């Protein structure tokens, strides 16, 4: 049927309901979004995306290169400094990305990085403005005032507080001499020699992924301000070489720890300043920093999120009764690409078992819950058929078991390691737990009976955890996403939307008993929809394409499990209309910095608004055409 005929049919219903989306505009917008998302595929047939440039990453990279060899790296150092100067906020500070408000950590690091300039006059104004911002934020530029401010910002988590203060101390921004180091919390690098299984009992003030910083900064501290206790000094002298060998062993071949510019930079600057500038870890780290620099002089916070955005894109382009715009050839290519990225051995960095997936295929990444669940759901959406395919069946079972092994005793799912610690990025969280439920739910009926029983018990335990951690108002909080305009910079819209959408993928026998939990989440999302139809991170935050699309898709996904009146058609139509208008009919999709990286650093990803809007409007278009009894889908690309 033509678009005109479909629109005419829809207008007839609009006369009765008065609340339907303009179907012609909806289908045109959906088709443009699908076309653009497909156009972002790489030559390999998947997606890479592009992370925003980061002032924080650029500052740490510049400073590390200056510590390693300022003469050899003069050009990239000053290209980075120029970028930082040109992207200073009007108030004198810097945000994690050019889209963010000024932040204490980033401003401190950039201010300190400017100290390495060979021509200080070129950055004098930027330095002066930064110091004025810091005085307003901290109260003064005194050593103890800055150390206290950073400590207050991160509480008991030393994961990022100590590296920030280390860079500031190396730059001379918080004083000179060994006394400065006495005020910076110490990192006991000698503990890295202990078996990994003991880490969870040590109550360390750093999270599991920070082992390279623990080693490198701890060695720097021991070099510039040796411990007063003679026994501690002796132990550190004895284990120093062994710990460096551990660091060398866990460094990936491209030199980038976790593919992260800041983490790699902190390791490079610390070892270089402690007299180990010629160590292979430093040399490999420098190579990584130079190779990851962008042409404009900036660095991203990480290499890319290639696996993550690929699984998200697959999810946006598949599912439902409408044919997906991916032909059999594309599906096979994507399936093979995902299977090739699964870890087949124990990971040397985190000690994670085989079977998981990481956020990228770069060698510095590590397997995690969100990406493992995402890959398993994507394989399901691609139509993977394990019967008769031993490789696929083995991969699926390994992935499902990997998630089972990650589940905490409380029933929730953490990011990297089961029960490593009590700091935020090591704890169970709602969006990861729900994502694991989605992965288990997709495949449980395809598993052998013994594995089915294990998964069933894990799902019941995880659902109980989710119910216990649902807020009294019905919302859930995510871990890896936030919104700096929302209360406490949390993002309950992202968390709630993801939980609802993930849970909709479970078999009915798991969904039905949990309808009250779904209903509470739905009612909360509806209660904070803005008057124009959009959603922000919470009721107070400005609406964004990402958050509106996620809310719309989640509400549309769970609506079949609830009563008709529980999810008003008018609310969904307003959300769809908002997306159509704000994307200019699918032609514009500017990203918002809602992503949270390690240590709660903000980032924006170019593909997020495009992916989420595509998924939401595809699902909404299917609902609209189902209601009219008509269908118009994008052509299948083969």
């Amino acid at each position: 049927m033509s678009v005109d005929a479909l629109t005419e049919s829809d207008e007839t219903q609009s006369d009765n309901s008065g609340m339907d989306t303009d179907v012609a505009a909806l289908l045109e917008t959906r088709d443009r979004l699908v076309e653009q998302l497909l156009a972002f595929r790489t030559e390999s047939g998947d997606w890479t995306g592009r992370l925003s440039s980061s002032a924080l990453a650029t500052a740490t990279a510049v400073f590390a290169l200056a510590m390693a060899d300022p003469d050899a790296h003069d050009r990239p150092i000053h290209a980075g400094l120029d970028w930082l100067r040109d992207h200073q906020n009007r108030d004198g500070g810097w945000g994690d990305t050019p889209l963010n408000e000024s932040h204490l950590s980033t401003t401190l690091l950039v201010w300190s990085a400017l100290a390495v300039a060979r021509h200080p006059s070129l950055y004098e104004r930027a330095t002066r403005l930064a110091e004025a911002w810091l005085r307003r934020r901290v109260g003064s530029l005194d050593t103890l005032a800055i150390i206290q401010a950073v400590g207050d910002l991160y509480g008991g988590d030393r994961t990022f507080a100590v590296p920030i203060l280390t860079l500031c101390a190396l730059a001379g921004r918080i004083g000179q001499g060994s006394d400065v180091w006495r005020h910076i919390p110490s990192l006991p690098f000698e503990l890295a020699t202990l078996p990994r299984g003991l880490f969870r009992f040590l109550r360390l003030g750093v999270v599991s992924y920070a082992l390279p910083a623990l080693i490198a900064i701890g060695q720097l501290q021991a070099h510039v301000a040796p411990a007063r206790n003679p026994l501690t000094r002796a132990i550190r002298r004895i284990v120093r070489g062994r710990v460096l060998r551990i660091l060398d062993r866990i460094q990936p071949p491209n030199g980038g720890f976790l593919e992260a510019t800041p983490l790699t930079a902190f390791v490079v600057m610390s070892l270089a300043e402690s007299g180990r500038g010629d160590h292979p870890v430093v040399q490999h780290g420098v190579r990584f920093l130079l190779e990851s620099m962008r042409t404009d002089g900036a660095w991203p916070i990480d290499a890319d999120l290639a696996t993550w955005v690929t699984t998200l894109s697959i999810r946006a382009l598949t599912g439902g009764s409408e044919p997906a715009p991916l032909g059999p050839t594309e599906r096979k290519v994507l399936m093979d690409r995902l299977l090739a990225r699964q870890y087949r051995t124990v990971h040397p960095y985190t000690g994670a078992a085989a079977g998981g997936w990481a956020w990228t295929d770069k060698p510095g990444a590590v397997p995690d819950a969100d990406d493992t669940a995402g890959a398993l759901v994507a394989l399901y959406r691609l139509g993977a058929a394990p019967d008769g395919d031993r490789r696929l069946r083995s991969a699926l079972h390994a992935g499902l078991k990997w998630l089972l092994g990650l589940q905490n005793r409380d029933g929730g799912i953490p990011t990297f390691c089961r029960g490593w610690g009590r700091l935020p990025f090591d704890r169970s969280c709602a969006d990861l737990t729900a994502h694991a439920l989605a992965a288990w739910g997709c495949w449980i009926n395809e598993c052998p009976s013994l594995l089915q029983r294990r998964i069933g018990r894990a799902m019941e335990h995880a659902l109980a955890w989710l119910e216990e951690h649902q807020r009294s108002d019905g919302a859930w909080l995510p871990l890896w996403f936030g919104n700096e305009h929302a209360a406490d910079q949390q993002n309950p819209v992202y968390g709630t939307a993801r939980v609802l959408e993930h849970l909709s993928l479970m078999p009915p026998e798991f969904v039905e008993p949990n309808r009250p939990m779904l209903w509470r989440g739905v009612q909360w999302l509806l209660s904070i929809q803005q008057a124009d139809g959009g959603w922000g991170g919470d009721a107070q935050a400005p609406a964004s394409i990402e958050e509106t699309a996620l809310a719309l898709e989640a509400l549309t996904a769970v609506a079949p499990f609830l009563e008709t009146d529980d999810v008003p058609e008018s609310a969904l139509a307003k959300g769809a209309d908002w997306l159509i208008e704000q994307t200019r009919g699918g032609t514009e999709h500017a990203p918002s910095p809602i992503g949270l990286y390690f240590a709660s650093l903000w980032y924006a990803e170019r593909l997020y608004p495009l992916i989420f809007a595509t998924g939401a409007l595809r699902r909404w278009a299917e609902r609209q055409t189902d209601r009219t009894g008509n269908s118009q889908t994008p052509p299948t690309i083969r």
Side-chain angles (χ1 to χ4, degrees):
M1 177 176 284
S2 69
V3 171
D4 290 339
L6 180 59
T7 304
E8 180 181 350
S9 173
D10 183 74
E11 286 173 349
T12 302
Q13 293 212 9
S14 291
D15 292 339
N16 297 325
S17 67
M19 56 188 180
D20 288 311
T21 300
D22 181 334
V23 177
L26 167 63
L27 296 179
E28 290 170 6
T29 302
R30 178 203 62 184
D31 291 355
R32 289 193 192 103
L33 291 170
V34 167
E35 181 181 2
Q36 290 178 72
L37 183 53
L38 290 170
F40 271 109
R41 286 180 296 179
T42 67
E43 292 182 358
S44 301
D46 53 7
W47 289 262
T48 297
R50 180 180 172 86
L51 290 166
S52 52
S53 293
S54 163
L56 186 144
T58 302
T60 58
V62 161
F63 196 84
L65 293 175
M67 293 296 100
D69 192 334
D71 294 327
H73 309 309
D74 182 71
R75 177 176 291 182
I77 288 170
H78 285 86
L81 292 176
D82 288 348
W83 187 91
L84 290 169
R85 177 195 58 203
D86 297 342
H87 289 80
Q88 188 172 25
N89 288 341
R90 291 185 178 182
D91 61 7
W94 283 266
D96 295 343
T97 79
L99 300 172
N100 285 108
E101 297 175 352
S102 296
H103 189 266
L104 176 61
S105 299
T106 306
T107 302
L108 276 172
L109 291 170
V110 177
W111 173 56
S112 298
L114 293 174
V116 305
R118 288 191 167 180
H119 306 288
S121 60
L122 296 175
Y123 312 99
E124 182 178 355
R125 183 173 183 273
T127 301
R128 188 173 65 254
L129 291 172
E131 290 173 348
W133 187 92
L134 287 168
R135 286 191 180 93
R136 293 193 301 271
R137 172 64 173 79
V138 177
S140 76
L141 300 182
D142 293 341
T143 299
L144 295 182
I146 290 176
I147 291 175
Q148 182 64 49
V150 173
D152 291 344
L153 183 63
Y154 291 100
D157 188 353
R158 299 182 182 182
T159 305
F160 202 54
V162 172
I164 291 170
L165 295 173
T166 296
L167 193 153
C168 292
L170 290 175
R173 293 300 202 192
I174 56 174
Q176 304 286 339
S178 60
D179 286 346
V180 173
W181 296 93
R182 304 291 182 191
H183 297 294
I184 299 176
S186 63
L187 295 182
F189 70 87
E190 62 274 14
L191 296 181
T193 62
L194 297 176
R196 190 182 303 273
L198 294 178
F199 283 10
R200 71 188 61 173
F201 305 111
L202 296 176
R203 304 181 69 88
L204 296 178
V206 295
V207 294
S208 54
Y209 63 78
L211 188 60
L214 172 73
I215 293 173
I217 295 176
Q219 293 225 3
L220 172 63
Q221 291 173 328
H223 175 76
V224 298
R228 292 191 172 99
N229 187 312
L231 179 60
T232 301
R233 291 200 304 272
I235 292 173
R236 288 176 175 173
R237 282 196 301 270
I238 292 170
V239 304
R240 183 180 301 145
R242 181 180 173 189
V243 170
L244 281 174
R245 288 192 292 275
I246 292 173
L247 188 61
D248 191 17
R249 187 171 68 246
I250 66 175
Q251 186 176 33
N254 69 347
F257 292 101
L258 295 182
E259 297 298 320
T261 298
L263 179 58
T264 306
F266 286 132
V267 171
V268 167
M269 69 179 74
S270 298
L271 292 183
E273 188 62 18
S274 59
R276 295 177 175 81
D278 59 348
H279 194 280
V281 169
V282 174
Q283 299 303 310
H284 295 327
V286 166
R287 187 184 75 239
F288 170 81
L289 293 176
L290 293 174
E291 291 177 352
S292 56
M293 181 182 182
R294 290 178 169 169
T295 56
D296 63 357
W299 276 262
I301 202 76
D302 199 288
D304 60 54
L305 306 179
T307 301
W308 177 241
V309 296
T310 293
T311 60
L312 290 176
S313 297
I314 291 169
R315 198 153 162 173
L317 292 167
T318 58
S321 59
E322 304 261 358
L326 293 169
T329 301
E330 282 75 21
R331 289 171 179 261
K332 179 66 165 55
V333 167
L334 287 167
M335 205 175 301
D336 288 343
R337 293 284 289 171
L338 287 178
L339 292 175
R341 294 179 183 183
Q342 186 179 32
Y343 287 87
R344 304 291 181 176
T345 59
V346 173
H347 199 280
Y349 188 151
T350 61
W357 278 265
W359 59 91
T360 179
D361 57 349
K362 299 288 193 303
V366 300
D368 66 272
D370 228 7
D371 289 289
T372 299
L376 290 168
V377 173
L379 288 169
Y380 182 82
R381 286 288 189 86
L382 288 170
D387 292 342
D389 188 334
R390 293 181 59 186
R391 181 185 68 142
L392 177 58
R393 184 168 61 251
S394 174
L396 293 174
H397 291 176
L400 295 168
K401 291 175 182 178
W402 193 88
L403 288 175
L404 289 172
L406 193 67
Q407 188 172 31
N408 280 331
R409 290 182 180 178
D410 62 10
I413 301 293
T415 303
F416 299 114
C417 304
R418 184 178 187 268
W420 204 95
R422 293 177 171 83
L423 297 176
F425 285 105
D426 281 327
R427 288 200 292 255
S428 301
C429 61
D431 48 332
L432 302 189
T433 301
H435 209 174
L437 280 162
W440 287 328
C442 285
W443 291 108
I444 185 171
N445 293 325
E446 302 292 332
C447 295
S449 57
L450 180 60
L451 184 55
Q452 278 191 30
R453 289 194 293 272
R454 286 185 62 192
I455 291 174
R457 289 192 297 268
M459 290 179 70
E460 295 289 354
H461 202 188
L463 284 164
W465 186 93
L466 273 179
E467 184 173 20
E468 181 182 351
H469 289 81
Q470 186 176 27
R471 290 193 328 195
S472 59
D473 61 5
W476 285 278
L477 295 177
L479 180 60
W480 292 92
F481 287 82
N483 187 306
E484 66 179 0
H485 303 294
D488 298 323
Q489 299 191 332
Q490 299 277 4
N491 198 327
V493 165
Y494 179 94
T496 307
R498 291 280 84 180
V499 170
L500 293 174
E501 207 272 333
H502 291 327
L503 295 186
S504 73
L505 296 176
M506 297 189 304
E509 61 266 28
F510 288 95
V511 178
E512 290 299 327
N514 292 282
R515 287 177 62 188
M517 182 167 64
L518 298 180
W519 182 86
R520 291 192 297 271
V522 165
Q523 296 312 303
W524 182 82
L525 274 182
L526 292 170
S527 73
I528 65 150
Q529 185 178 22
Q530 298 177 12
D532 61 1
W535 278 269
D538 66 5
Q540 307 304 318
S544 75
I545 293 173
E546 292 93 334
E547 289 146 341
T548 301
L550 288 168
L552 174 62
E553 183 172 17
L555 292 170
T556 310
V558 299
F561 298 102
L562 302 174
E563 299 296 332
T564 303
D565 295 339
D566 289 338
V567 188
E569 197 84 0
S570 58
L572 303 185
K574 285 178 66 176
D577 289 343
W578 189 95
L579 281 177
I580 293 169
E581 180 180 351
Q582 294 301 315
T583 62
R584 302 294 186 267
T587 61
E588 297 179 12
H589 31 82
S592 302
I594 64 168
L596 281 176
Y597 193 64
F598 298 112
S600 299
L601 306 178
W602 299 103
Y603 73 87
E605 162 55 54
R606 176 175 62 182
L607 288 185
Y608 279 169
L610 178 56
I611 291 170
F612 296 149
T614 300
L617 292 185
R618 282 192 78 248
R619 189 183 287 270
W620 177 243
E622 180 179 353
R623 180 183 174 102
Q624 290 296 90
T625 53
D626 284 349
R627 290 174 61 243
T628 61
N630 301 303
S631 176
Q632 179 167 332
T633 61
T636 300
I637 299 176
R638 301 185 185 275

Short mmCIF file of all heavy atoms in Angstrom, two decimals, residues 527-549:
data_model
loop_
_atom_site.label_atom_id
_atom_site.label_comp_id
_atom_site.label_asym_id
_atom_site.label_seq_id
_atom_site.Cartn_x
_atom_site.Cartn_y
_atom_site.Cartn_z
N SER A 527 5.36 9.79 34.05
CA SER A 527 5.16 10.93 34.95
C SER A 527 6.15 12.05 34.70
O SER A 527 5.89 13.20 35.08
CB SER A 527 5.25 10.48 36.41
OG SER A 527 6.58 10.19 36.78
N ILE A 528 7.31 11.74 34.11
CA ILE A 528 8.30 12.80 33.91
C ILE A 528 8.47 13.18 32.44
O ILE A 528 9.41 13.90 32.09
CB ILE A 528 9.66 12.41 34.51
CG1 ILE A 528 10.25 11.21 33.78
CG2 ILE A 528 9.57 12.15 36.00
CD1 ILE A 528 11.74 11.21 33.78
N GLN A 529 7.57 12.69 31.59
CA GLN A 529 7.62 13.14 30.20
C GLN A 529 7.32 14.64 30.16
O GLN A 529 6.42 15.13 30.84
CB GLN A 529 6.59 12.39 29.35
CG GLN A 529 6.67 12.74 27.86
CD GLN A 529 5.67 11.96 27.02
OE1 GLN A 529 4.65 11.47 27.55
NE2 GLN A 529 5.92 11.84 25.74
N GLN A 530 8.09 15.35 29.40
CA GLN A 530 7.92 16.80 29.34
C GLN A 530 6.74 17.17 28.46
O GLN A 530 6.25 16.38 27.66
CB GLN A 530 9.22 17.44 28.85
CG GLN A 530 10.38 17.16 29.81
CD GLN A 530 11.71 17.72 29.34
OE1 GLN A 530 11.78 18.51 28.41
NE2 GLN A 530 12.79 17.30 30.00
N ALA A 531 6.28 18.40 28.63
CA ALA A 531 5.04 18.82 27.97
C ALA A 531 5.11 18.71 26.45
O ALA A 531 4.10 18.45 25.79
CB ALA A 531 4.71 20.25 28.38
N ASP A 532 6.32 18.90 25.89
CA ASP A 532 6.46 18.83 24.43
C ASP A 532 6.64 17.41 23.92
O ASP A 532 6.79 17.19 22.72
CB ASP A 532 7.61 19.72 23.96
CG ASP A 532 8.97 19.30 24.54
OD1 ASP A 532 9.01 18.31 25.29
OD2 ASP A 532 9.97 19.97 24.23
N GLY A 533 6.69 16.42 24.84
CA GLY A 533 6.79 15.03 24.43
C GLY A 533 8.14 14.40 24.66
O GLY A 533 8.28 13.18 24.56
N GLY A 534 9.17 15.20 24.97
CA GLY A 534 10.52 14.66 25.12
C GLY A 534 10.82 14.20 26.54
O GLY A 534 10.05 14.42 27.47
N TRP A 535 11.96 13.53 26.68
CA TRP A 535 12.48 13.12 27.98
C TRP A 535 13.92 13.58 28.11
O TRP A 535 14.69 13.57 27.13
CB TRP A 535 12.46 11.61 28.14
CG TRP A 535 11.17 10.98 28.54
CD1 TRP A 535 10.74 10.74 29.82
CD2 TRP A 535 10.14 10.48 27.68
NE1 TRP A 535 9.50 10.13 29.80
CE2 TRP A 535 9.11 9.95 28.50
CE3 TRP A 535 9.99 10.42 26.30
CZ2 TRP A 535 7.96 9.37 27.98
CZ3 TRP A 535 8.84 9.85 25.78
CH2 TRP A 535 7.84 9.34 26.61
N GLY A 536 14.30 14.01 29.31
CA GLY A 536 15.70 14.25 29.64
C GLY A 536 16.16 13.18 30.61
O GLY A 536 15.52 12.14 30.77
N GLY A 537 17.28 13.43 31.30
CA GLY A 537 17.78 12.44 32.25
C GLY A 537 16.87 12.23 33.43
O GLY A 537 16.81 11.15 34.01
N ASP A 538 16.14 13.29 33.82
CA ASP A 538 15.08 13.20 34.82
C ASP A 538 14.08 14.30 34.52
O ASP A 538 14.11 14.91 33.44
CB ASP A 538 15.64 13.26 36.25
CG ASP A 538 16.27 14.61 36.60
OD1 ASP A 538 16.21 15.56 35.78
OD2 ASP A 538 16.83 14.73 37.71
N ALA A 539 13.21 14.61 35.47
CA ALA A 539 12.15 15.59 35.21
C ALA A 539 12.69 16.98 34.97
O ALA A 539 12.04 17.80 34.31
CB ALA A 539 11.18 15.60 36.39
N GLN A 540 13.89 17.29 35.51
CA GLN A 540 14.42 18.65 35.41
C GLN A 540 15.37 18.85 34.24
O GLN A 540 15.63 19.98 33.83
CB GLN A 540 15.16 19.00 36.72
CG GLN A 540 14.34 18.79 37.98
CD GLN A 540 13.03 19.57 37.96
OE1 GLN A 540 13.00 20.72 37.54
NE2 GLN A 540 11.96 18.93 38.39
N ALA A 541 15.94 17.79 33.72
CA ALA A 541 16.96 17.91 32.67
C ALA A 541 16.33 18.18 31.31
O ALA A 541 15.23 17.68 31.02
CB ALA A 541 17.78 16.63 32.61
N PRO A 542 16.99 18.96 30.47
CA PRO A 542 16.46 19.20 29.12
C PRO A 542 16.41 17.91 28.32
O PRO A 542 17.24 17.01 28.50
CB PRO A 542 17.47 20.19 28.52
CG PRO A 542 18.71 20.05 29.34
CD PRO A 542 18.26 19.69 30.70
N ALA A 543 15.42 17.82 27.46
CA ALA A 543 15.22 16.60 26.68
C ALA A 543 16.35 16.41 25.67
O ALA A 543 16.95 17.37 25.18
CB ALA A 543 13.88 16.65 25.96
N SER A 544 16.64 15.16 25.38
CA SER A 544 17.65 14.82 24.37
C SER A 544 17.09 13.75 23.45
O SER A 544 16.12 13.05 23.78
CB SER A 544 18.93 14.30 25.04
OG SER A 544 18.75 12.98 25.53
N ILE A 545 17.72 13.61 22.28
CA ILE A 545 17.31 12.57 21.35
C ILE A 545 17.52 11.20 21.98
O ILE A 545 16.64 10.32 21.89
CB ILE A 545 18.10 12.69 20.03
CG1 ILE A 545 17.72 13.99 19.30
CG2 ILE A 545 17.85 11.48 19.13
CD1 ILE A 545 18.58 14.27 18.07
N GLU A 546 18.67 11.01 22.62
CA GLU A 546 18.98 9.70 23.19
C GLU A 546 17.94 9.28 24.22
O GLU A 546 17.38 8.17 24.17
CB GLU A 546 20.37 9.71 23.84
CG GLU A 546 21.52 9.85 22.87
CD GLU A 546 21.96 11.29 22.66
OE1 GLU A 546 21.12 12.20 22.84
OE2 GLU A 546 23.13 11.50 22.33
N GLU A 547 17.69 10.14 25.19
CA GLU A 547 16.80 9.77 26.29
C GLU A 547 15.35 9.65 25.84
O GLU A 547 14.62 8.75 26.28
CB GLU A 547 16.96 10.80 27.42
CG GLU A 547 18.30 10.66 28.12
CD GLU A 547 18.88 11.97 28.61
OE1 GLU A 547 18.45 13.05 28.12
OE2 GLU A 547 19.77 11.94 29.47
N THR A 548 14.92 10.52 24.94
CA THR A 548 13.55 10.42 24.42
C THR A 548 13.37 9.13 23.64
O THR A 548 12.35 8.43 23.78
CB THR A 548 13.23 11.63 23.54
OG1 THR A 548 13.37 12.83 24.31
CG2 THR A 548 11.81 11.54 22.98
N ALA A 549 14.34 8.79 22.80
CA ALA A 549 14.24 7.57 22.01
C ALA A 549 14.22 6.33 22.90
O ALA A 549 13.43 5.40 22.68
CB ALA A 549 15.41 7.50 21.03
#
